Amino acid sequence: MSKKNKEKRVEYGLEHQGKSVEDFWQFIFFTDEAHIDPSSNSVGYILREEGTRYDSVNIQERGEKTGVKLHIAGWCNWHSKCTSLEFYNDEEQYIEKPKRPRKPQKRKKETPEQFSHRLLEWDALIGHDKDVKPQGNAMTQKYYTERLLPIYIEAVSQARLNQRYPESWWLMEDGDPSHGMRKIGLAREL
């Protein structure tokens, strides 16, 4: 754990240490998203004696990591939990165009051959379009605000309608940097 993370956790603990389930924690909706690749756990464990880790009988080949990746989201609080998990897929491939360097200008004392040579070098630096494939363990803020956040907001809204203390209910996100409260944008606004 980093020093900064530890400081934030201690600060959070001190801020909420006197709060009980009845007056605070029962009103918090906790959310989380999980990404599971069942094929990544294909190699089994071996029971071995200490110090024999690198013996040939204890080394296993890892299989190819292919398979169905599961993306799951849900929420819970002290009184209830989501009736069903949300399965989603935010793995859109896209093409990333490289940033083009500035086109060179002809210099005063440069011959046309030298300039055409510099143009060829510039053209070679441009690069090719890059096919970006998703990692499978993150989502964009846009996808989060369109697909998952409305489900969480609806759950909090329903709790506020059915309880005596409607202003007490809070949504506590998991703090994922790709879409959570640390990133400025639509998710934070909503």
mmCIF file with all atom_site columns, all heavy atoms in Angstrom, residues 16-33:
data_model
loop_
_atom_site.group_PDB
_atom_site.id
_atom_site.type_symbol
_atom_site.label_atom_id
_atom_site.label_alt_id
_atom_site.label_comp_id
_atom_site.label_asym_id
_atom_site.label_entity_id
_atom_site.label_seq_id
_atom_site.pdbx_PDB_ins_code
_atom_site.Cartn_x
_atom_site.Cartn_y
_atom_site.Cartn_z
_atom_site.occupancy
_atom_site.B_iso_or_equiv
_atom_site.pdbx_formal_charge
_atom_site.auth_seq_id
_atom_site.auth_comp_id
_atom_site.auth_asym_id
_atom_site.auth_atom_id
_atom_site.pdbx_PDB_model_num
ATOM 1   N N   . HIS A 1 16 ? -14.919 8.763  10.139  1.00 0.00 ? 16 HIS A N   1
ATOM 2   C CA  . HIS A 1 16 ? -16.143 7.980  10.335  1.00 0.00 ? 16 HIS A CA  1
ATOM 3   C C   . HIS A 1 16 ? -16.090 7.034  11.526  1.00 0.00 ? 16 HIS A C   1
ATOM 4   O O   . HIS A 1 16 ? -16.989 6.216  11.687  1.00 0.00 ? 16 HIS A O   1
ATOM 5   C CB  . HIS A 1 16 ? -16.429 7.175  9.062   1.00 0.00 ? 16 HIS A CB  1
ATOM 6   C CG  . HIS A 1 16 ? -16.652 8.021  7.857   1.00 0.00 ? 16 HIS A CG  1
ATOM 7   N ND1 . HIS A 1 16 ? -17.729 8.859  7.706   1.00 0.00 ? 16 HIS A ND1 1
ATOM 8   C CD2 . HIS A 1 16 ? -15.910 8.173  6.730   1.00 0.00 ? 16 HIS A CD2 1
ATOM 9   C CE1 . HIS A 1 16 ? -17.663 9.481  6.553   1.00 0.00 ? 16 HIS A CE1 1
ATOM 10  N NE2 . HIS A 1 16 ? -16.558 9.092  5.939   1.00 0.00 ? 16 HIS A NE2 1
ATOM 11  N N   . GLN A 1 17 ? -15.079 7.148  12.402  1.00 0.00 ? 17 GLN A N   1
ATOM 12  C CA  . GLN A 1 17 ? -14.924 6.171  13.469  1.00 0.00 ? 17 GLN A CA  1
ATOM 13  C C   . GLN A 1 17 ? -16.057 6.188  14.488  1.00 0.00 ? 17 GLN A C   1
ATOM 14  O O   . GLN A 1 17 ? -16.399 5.158  15.049  1.00 0.00 ? 17 GLN A O   1
ATOM 15  C CB  . GLN A 1 17 ? -13.580 6.346  14.171  1.00 0.00 ? 17 GLN A CB  1
ATOM 16  C CG  . GLN A 1 17 ? -13.474 7.577  15.040  1.00 0.00 ? 17 GLN A CG  1
ATOM 17  C CD  . GLN A 1 17 ? -12.097 7.683  15.672  1.00 0.00 ? 17 GLN A CD  1
ATOM 18  O OE1 . GLN A 1 17 ? -11.254 6.805  15.517  1.00 0.00 ? 17 GLN A OE1 1
ATOM 19  N NE2 . GLN A 1 17 ? -11.862 8.761  16.385  1.00 0.00 ? 17 GLN A NE2 1
ATOM 20  N N   . GLY A 1 18 ? -16.673 7.303  14.718  1.00 0.00 ? 18 GLY A N   1
ATOM 21  C CA  . GLY A 1 18 ? -17.746 7.365  15.725  1.00 0.00 ? 18 GLY A CA  1
ATOM 22  C C   . GLY A 1 18 ? -19.122 7.060  15.170  1.00 0.00 ? 18 GLY A C   1
ATOM 23  O O   . GLY A 1 18 ? -20.111 7.070  15.901  1.00 0.00 ? 18 GLY A O   1
ATOM 24  N N   . LYS A 1 19 ? -19.217 6.786  13.886  1.00 0.00 ? 19 LYS A N   1
ATOM 25  C CA  . LYS A 1 19 ? -20.522 6.574  13.268  1.00 0.00 ? 19 LYS A CA  1
ATOM 26  C C   . LYS A 1 19 ? -20.932 5.111  13.388  1.00 0.00 ? 19 LYS A C   1
ATOM 27  O O   . LYS A 1 19 ? -20.129 4.210  13.208  1.00 0.00 ? 19 LYS A O   1
ATOM 28  C CB  . LYS A 1 19 ? -20.480 7.002  11.803  1.00 0.00 ? 19 LYS A CB  1
ATOM 29  C CG  . LYS A 1 19 ? -20.192 8.493  11.669  1.00 0.00 ? 19 LYS A CG  1
ATOM 30  C CD  . LYS A 1 19 ? -20.086 8.916  10.244  1.00 0.00 ? 19 LYS A CD  1
ATOM 31  C CE  . LYS A 1 19 ? -19.796 10.416 10.172  1.00 0.00 ? 19 LYS A CE  1
ATOM 32  N NZ  . LYS A 1 19 ? -19.544 10.855 8.832   1.00 0.00 ? 19 LYS A NZ  1
ATOM 33  N N   . SER A 1 20 ? -22.205 4.899  13.676  1.00 0.00 ? 20 SER A N   1
ATOM 34  C CA  . SER A 1 20 ? -22.697 3.531  13.838  1.00 0.00 ? 20 SER A CA  1
ATOM 35  C C   . SER A 1 20 ? -23.501 3.116  12.615  1.00 0.00 ? 20 SER A C   1
ATOM 36  O O   . SER A 1 20 ? -23.795 3.912  11.732  1.00 0.00 ? 20 SER A O   1
ATOM 37  C CB  . SER A 1 20 ? -23.585 3.451  15.080  1.00 0.00 ? 20 SER A CB  1
ATOM 38  O OG  . SER A 1 20 ? -24.770 4.188  14.864  1.00 0.00 ? 20 SER A OG  1
ATOM 39  N N   . VAL A 1 21 ? -23.888 1.860  12.591  1.00 0.00 ? 21 VAL A N   1
ATOM 40  C CA  . VAL A 1 21 ? -24.719 1.345  11.499  1.00 0.00 ? 21 VAL A CA  1
ATOM 41  C C   . VAL A 1 21 ? -26.054 2.090  11.477  1.00 0.00 ? 21 VAL A C   1
ATOM 42  O O   . VAL A 1 21 ? -26.542 2.477  10.418  1.00 0.00 ? 21 VAL A O   1
ATOM 43  C CB  . VAL A 1 21 ? -24.951 -0.177 11.666  1.00 0.00 ? 21 VAL A CB  1
ATOM 44  C CG1 . VAL A 1 21 ? -26.008 -0.672 10.691  1.00 0.00 ? 21 VAL A CG1 1
ATOM 45  C CG2 . VAL A 1 21 ? -23.663 -0.927 11.460  1.00 0.00 ? 21 VAL A CG2 1
ATOM 46  N N   . GLU A 1 22 ? -26.629 2.321  12.658  1.00 0.00 ? 22 GLU A N   1
ATOM 47  C CA  . GLU A 1 22 ? -27.958 2.942  12.732  1.00 0.00 ? 22 GLU A CA  1
ATOM 48  C C   . GLU A 1 22 ? -27.982 4.377  12.217  1.00 0.00 ? 22 GLU A C   1
ATOM 49  O O   . GLU A 1 22 ? -28.932 4.788  11.574  1.00 0.00 ? 22 GLU A O   1
ATOM 50  C CB  . GLU A 1 22 ? -28.489 2.920  14.175  1.00 0.00 ? 22 GLU A CB  1
ATOM 51  C CG  . GLU A 1 22 ? -28.882 1.560  14.670  1.00 0.00 ? 22 GLU A CG  1
ATOM 52  C CD  . GLU A 1 22 ? -27.686 0.726  15.096  1.00 0.00 ? 22 GLU A CD  1
ATOM 53  O OE1 . GLU A 1 22 ? -26.623 1.314  15.418  1.00 0.00 ? 22 GLU A OE1 1
ATOM 54  O OE2 . GLU A 1 22 ? -27.792 -0.507 15.077  1.00 0.00 ? 22 GLU A OE2 1
ATOM 55  N N   . ASP A 1 23 ? -26.940 5.153  12.509  1.00 0.00 ? 23 ASP A N   1
ATOM 56  C CA  . ASP A 1 23 ? -27.001 6.567  12.125  1.00 0.00 ? 23 ASP A CA  1
ATOM 57  C C   . ASP A 1 23 ? -26.245 6.918  10.843  1.00 0.00 ? 23 ASP A C   1
ATOM 58  O O   . ASP A 1 23 ? -26.337 8.023  10.359  1.00 0.00 ? 23 ASP A O   1
ATOM 59  C CB  . ASP A 1 23 ? -26.522 7.468  13.275  1.00 0.00 ? 23 ASP A CB  1
ATOM 60  C CG  . ASP A 1 23 ? -25.038 7.308  13.576  1.00 0.00 ? 23 ASP A CG  1
ATOM 61  O OD1 . ASP A 1 23 ? -24.388 6.462  12.947  1.00 0.00 ? 23 ASP A OD1 1
ATOM 62  O OD2 . ASP A 1 23 ? -24.538 8.035  14.442  1.00 0.00 ? 23 ASP A OD2 1
ATOM 63  N N   . PHE A 1 24 ? -25.479 5.956  10.284  1.00 0.00 ? 24 PHE A N   1
ATOM 64  C CA  . PHE A 1 24 ? -24.718 6.320  9.095   1.00 0.00 ? 24 PHE A CA  1
ATOM 65  C C   . PHE A 1 24 ? -24.604 5.185  8.081   1.00 0.00 ? 24 PHE A C   1
ATOM 66  O O   . PHE A 1 24 ? -25.046 5.301  6.951   1.00 0.00 ? 24 PHE A O   1
ATOM 67  C CB  . PHE A 1 24 ? -23.307 6.790  9.499   1.00 0.00 ? 24 PHE A CB  1
ATOM 68  C CG  . PHE A 1 24 ? -22.453 7.231  8.345   1.00 0.00 ? 24 PHE A CG  1
ATOM 69  C CD1 . PHE A 1 24 ? -22.687 8.439  7.711   1.00 0.00 ? 24 PHE A CD1 1
ATOM 70  C CD2 . PHE A 1 24 ? -21.420 6.434  7.881   1.00 0.00 ? 24 PHE A CD2 1
ATOM 71  C CE1 . PHE A 1 24 ? -21.906 8.842  6.633   1.00 0.00 ? 24 PHE A CE1 1
ATOM 72  C CE2 . PHE A 1 24 ? -20.634 6.830  6.813   1.00 0.00 ? 24 PHE A CE2 1
ATOM 73  C CZ  . PHE A 1 24 ? -20.886 8.044  6.193   1.00 0.00 ? 24 PHE A CZ  1
ATOM 74  N N   . TRP A 1 25 ? -23.982 4.058  8.465   1.00 0.00 ? 25 TRP A N   1
ATOM 75  C CA  . TRP A 1 25 ? -23.609 3.025  7.500   1.00 0.00 ? 25 TRP A CA  1
ATOM 76  C C   . TRP A 1 25 ? -24.792 2.335  6.842   1.00 0.00 ? 25 TRP A C   1
ATOM 77  O O   . TRP A 1 25 ? -24.676 1.830  5.735   1.00 0.00 ? 25 TRP A O   1
ATOM 78  C CB  . TRP A 1 25 ? -22.692 1.988  8.160   1.00 0.00 ? 25 TRP A CB  1
ATOM 79  C CG  . TRP A 1 25 ? -21.376 2.597  8.526   1.00 0.00 ? 25 TRP A CG  1
ATOM 80  C CD1 . TRP A 1 25 ? -20.925 2.882  9.765   1.00 0.00 ? 25 TRP A CD1 1
ATOM 81  C CD2 . TRP A 1 25 ? -20.362 3.046  7.617   1.00 0.00 ? 25 TRP A CD2 1
ATOM 82  N NE1 . TRP A 1 25 ? -19.680 3.469  9.704   1.00 0.00 ? 25 TRP A NE1 1
ATOM 83  C CE2 . TRP A 1 25 ? -19.312 3.580  8.392   1.00 0.00 ? 25 TRP A CE2 1
ATOM 84  C CE3 . TRP A 1 25 ? -20.231 3.047  6.237   1.00 0.00 ? 25 TRP A CE3 1
ATOM 85  C CZ2 . TRP A 1 25 ? -18.153 4.100  7.833   1.00 0.00 ? 25 TRP A CZ2 1
ATOM 86  C CZ3 . TRP A 1 25 ? -19.087 3.560  5.680   1.00 0.00 ? 25 TRP A CZ3 1
ATOM 87  C CH2 . TRP A 1 25 ? -18.062 4.082  6.468   1.00 0.00 ? 25 TRP A CH2 1
ATOM 88  N N   . GLN A 1 26 ? -25.946 2.306  7.487   1.00 0.00 ? 26 GLN A N   1
ATOM 89  C CA  . GLN A 1 26 ? -27.095 1.650  6.855   1.00 0.00 ? 26 GLN A CA  1
ATOM 90  C C   . GLN A 1 26 ? -27.591 2.407  5.628   1.00 0.00 ? 26 GLN A C   1
ATOM 91  O O   . GLN A 1 26 ? -28.301 1.854  4.806   1.00 0.00 ? 26 GLN A O   1
ATOM 92  C CB  . GLN A 1 26 ? -28.229 1.473  7.863   1.00 0.00 ? 26 GLN A CB  1
ATOM 93  C CG  . GLN A 1 26 ? -28.906 2.766  8.268   1.00 0.00 ? 26 GLN A CG  1
ATOM 94  C CD  . GLN A 1 26 ? -30.158 2.512  9.077   1.00 0.00 ? 26 GLN A CD  1
ATOM 95  O OE1 . GLN A 1 26 ? -30.847 1.527  8.854   1.00 0.00 ? 26 GLN A OE1 1
ATOM 96  N NE2 . GLN A 1 26 ? -30.432 3.403  10.015  1.00 0.00 ? 26 GLN A NE2 1
ATOM 97  N N   . PHE A 1 27 ? -27.196 3.658  5.483   1.00 0.00 ? 27 PHE A N   1
ATOM 98  C CA  . PHE A 1 27 ? -27.680 4.494  4.383   1.00 0.00 ? 27 PHE A CA  1
ATOM 99  C C   . PHE A 1 27 ? -26.697 4.555  3.197   1.00 0.00 ? 27 PHE A C   1
ATOM 100 O O   . PHE A 1 27 ? -26.913 5.322  2.271   1.00 0.00 ? 27 PHE A O   1
ATOM 101 C CB  . PHE A 1 27 ? -27.949 5.910  4.878   1.00 0.00 ? 27 PHE A CB  1
ATOM 102 C CG  . PHE A 1 27 ? -28.980 5.964  5.969   1.00 0.00 ? 27 PHE A CG  1
ATOM 103 C CD1 . PHE A 1 27 ? -28.634 6.337  7.261   1.00 0.00 ? 27 PHE A CD1 1
ATOM 104 C CD2 . PHE A 1 27 ? -30.294 5.627  5.710   1.00 0.00 ? 27 PHE A CD2 1
ATOM 105 C CE1 . PHE A 1 27 ? -29.579 6.383  8.260   1.00 0.00 ? 27 PHE A CE1 1
ATOM 106 C CE2 . PHE A 1 27 ? -31.244 5.670  6.704   1.00 0.00 ? 27 PHE A CE2 1
ATOM 107 C CZ  . PHE A 1 27 ? -30.889 6.039  7.989   1.00 0.00 ? 27 PHE A CZ  1
ATOM 108 N N   . ILE A 1 28 ? -25.638 3.792  3.216   1.00 0.00 ? 28 ILE A N   1
ATOM 109 C CA  . ILE A 1 28 ? -24.628 3.849  2.170   1.00 0.00 ? 28 ILE A CA  1
ATOM 110 C C   . ILE A 1 28 ? -24.852 2.724  1.153   1.00 0.00 ? 28 ILE A C   1
ATOM 111 O O   . ILE A 1 28 ? -24.963 1.566  1.519   1.00 0.00 ? 28 ILE A O   1
ATOM 112 C CB  . ILE A 1 28 ? -23.205 3.732  2.751   1.00 0.00 ? 28 ILE A CB  1
ATOM 113 C CG1 . ILE A 1 28 ? -22.967 4.772  3.854   1.00 0.00 ? 28 ILE A CG1 1
ATOM 114 C CG2 . ILE A 1 28 ? -22.156 3.838  1.657   1.00 0.00 ? 28 ILE A CG2 1
ATOM 115 C CD1 . ILE A 1 28 ? -23.009 6.205  3.380   1.00 0.00 ? 28 ILE A CD1 1
ATOM 116 N N   . PHE A 1 29 ? -24.892 3.083  -0.122  1.00 0.00 ? 29 PHE A N   1
ATOM 117 C CA  . PHE A 1 29 ? -24.929 2.109  -1.213  1.00 0.00 ? 29 PHE A CA  1
ATOM 118 C C   . PHE A 1 29 ? -23.503 1.920  -1.713  1.00 0.00 ? 29 PHE A C   1
ATOM 119 O O   . PHE A 1 29 ? -22.894 2.858  -2.212  1.00 0.00 ? 29 PHE A O   1
ATOM 120 C CB  . PHE A 1 29 ? -25.787 2.628  -2.380  1.00 0.00 ? 29 PHE A CB  1
ATOM 121 C CG  . PHE A 1 29 ? -27.239 2.323  -2.249  1.00 0.00 ? 29 PHE A CG  1
ATOM 122 C CD1 . PHE A 1 29 ? -28.045 3.069  -1.415  1.00 0.00 ? 29 PHE A CD1 1
ATOM 123 C CD2 . PHE A 1 29 ? -27.802 1.282  -2.966  1.00 0.00 ? 29 PHE A CD2 1
ATOM 124 C CE1 . PHE A 1 29 ? -29.386 2.794  -1.297  1.00 0.00 ? 29 PHE A CE1 1
ATOM 125 C CE2 . PHE A 1 29 ? -29.145 0.994  -2.858  1.00 0.00 ? 29 PHE A CE2 1
ATOM 126 C CZ  . PHE A 1 29 ? -29.933 1.744  -2.019  1.00 0.00 ? 29 PHE A CZ  1
ATOM 127 N N   . PHE A 1 30 ? -22.981 0.717  -1.583  1.00 0.00 ? 30 PHE A N   1
ATOM 128 C CA  . PHE A 1 30 ? -21.641 0.402  -2.066  1.00 0.00 ? 30 PHE A CA  1
ATOM 129 C C   . PHE A 1 30 ? -21.761 -0.234 -3.447  1.00 0.00 ? 30 PHE A C   1
ATOM 130 O O   . PHE A 1 30 ? -22.619 -1.090 -3.662  1.00 0.00 ? 30 PHE A O   1
ATOM 131 C CB  . PHE A 1 30 ? -20.930 -0.560 -1.115  1.00 0.00 ? 30 PHE A CB  1
ATOM 132 C CG  . PHE A 1 30 ? -20.631 0.047  0.224   1.00 0.00 ? 30 PHE A CG  1
ATOM 133 C CD1 . PHE A 1 30 ? -21.498 -0.147 1.284   1.00 0.00 ? 30 PHE A CD1 1
ATOM 134 C CD2 . PHE A 1 30 ? -19.499 0.816  0.412   1.00 0.00 ? 30 PHE A CD2 1
ATOM 135 C CE1 . PHE A 1 30 ? -21.225 0.410  2.527   1.00 0.00 ? 30 PHE A CE1 1
ATOM 136 C CE2 . PHE A 1 30 ? -19.222 1.374  1.651   1.00 0.00 ? 30 PHE A CE2 1
ATOM 137 C CZ  . PHE A 1 30 ? -20.091 1.179  2.706   1.00 0.00 ? 30 PHE A CZ  1
ATOM 138 N N   . THR A 1 31 ? -20.901 0.163  -4.382  1.00 0.00 ? 31 THR A N   1
ATOM 139 C CA  . THR A 1 31 ? -20.927 -0.387 -5.741  1.00 0.00 ? 31 THR A CA  1
ATOM 140 C C   . THR A 1 31 ? -19.566 -0.972 -6.072  1.00 0.00 ? 31 THR A C   1
ATOM 141 O O   . THR A 1 31 ? -18.550 -0.576 -5.495  1.00 0.00 ? 31 THR A O   1
ATOM 142 C CB  . THR A 1 31 ? -21.252 0.700  -6.784  1.00 0.00 ? 31 THR A CB  1
ATOM 143 O OG1 . THR A 1 31 ? -20.154 1.620  -6.852  1.00 0.00 ? 31 THR A OG1 1
ATOM 144 C CG2 . THR A 1 31 ? -22.522 1.446  -6.434  1.00 0.00 ? 31 THR A CG2 1
ATOM 145 N N   . ASP A 1 32 ? -19.568 -1.892 -7.019  1.00 0.00 ? 32 ASP A N   1
ATOM 146 C CA  . ASP A 1 32 ? -18.292 -2.423 -7.497  1.00 0.00 ? 32 ASP A CA  1
ATOM 147 C C   . ASP A 1 32 ? -18.501 -3.112 -8.830  1.00 0.00 ? 32 ASP A C   1
ATOM 148 O O   . ASP A 1 32 ? -19.605 -3.560 -9.153  1.00 0.00 ? 32 ASP A O   1
ATOM 149 C CB  . ASP A 1 32 ? -17.681 -3.392 -6.501  1.00 0.00 ? 32 ASP A CB  1
ATOM 150 C CG  . ASP A 1 32 ? -16.173 -3.546 -6.699  1.00 0.00 ? 32 ASP A CG  1
ATOM 151 O OD1 . ASP A 1 32 ? -15.592 -2.816 -7.531  1.00 0.00 ? 32 ASP A OD1 1
ATOM 152 O OD2 . ASP A 1 32 ? -15.574 -4.392 -6.021  1.00 0.00 ? 32 ASP A OD2 1
ATOM 153 N N   . GLU A 1 33 ? -17.434 -3.169 -9.602  1.00 0.00 ? 33 GLU A N   1
ATOM 154 C CA  . GLU A 1 33 ? -17.406 -3.874 -10.877 1.00 0.00 ? 33 GLU A CA  1
ATOM 155 C C   . GLU A 1 33 ? -16.259 -4.875 -10.810 1.00 0.00 ? 33 GLU A C   1
ATOM 156 O O   . GLU A 1 33 ? -15.235 -4.590 -10.217 1.00 0.00 ? 33 GLU A O   1
ATOM 157 C CB  . GLU A 1 33 ? -17.174 -2.916 -12.055 1.00 0.00 ? 33 GLU A CB  1
ATOM 158 C CG  . GLU A 1 33 ? -18.240 -1.859 -12.228 1.00 0.00 ? 33 GLU A CG  1
ATOM 159 C CD  . GLU A 1 33 ? -18.085 -0.676 -11.286 1.00 0.00 ? 33 GLU A CD  1
ATOM 160 O OE1 . GLU A 1 33 ? -16.932 -0.295 -10.979 1.00 0.00 ? 33 GLU A OE1 1
ATOM 161 O OE2 . GLU A 1 33 ? -19.110 -0.145 -10.837 1.00 0.00 ? 33 GLU A OE2 1
#
